[in-house]
Amino acid sequence: MTALDAVADWPVASAAAVVTSADEILATTGPVDEPYPWASVTKLITALTVLAAVDRGEVGLDEPAGPP
């Protein structure tokens, strides 16, 4: 079973996924033109962004964040 098969078989009302390369869409499943709310996915995107900044040396994991 591929990841796209798993999305297609997901037990929710509606789900979609797209696999891309830098240049093109390689595969899709579900209603990919339907807008979906971001919900808790933003936490994952924020974590990935911070880790990319750590990798570039722009921030450190031991640095305080936010107001004191």
Side-chain angles (χ1 to χ4, degrees):
M1 174 182 279
T2 69
L4 288 179
D5 293 334
V7 171
D9 292 338
W10 225 334
V12 295
S14 182
V18 178
V19 178
T20 66
S21 70
D23 303 318
E24 63 182 325
I25 294 175
L26 302 174
T28 66
T29 187
V32 295
D33 293 330
E34 181 179 327
Y36 290 92
W38 281 87
S40 291
V41 175
T42 56
K43 295 175 188 120
L44 299 173
I45 293 169
T46 301
L48 181 59
T49 302
V50 170
L51 290 175
V54 168
D55 191 47
R56 291 190 304 262
E58 297 170 351
V59 298
L61 289 177
D62 294 330
E63 292 180 33

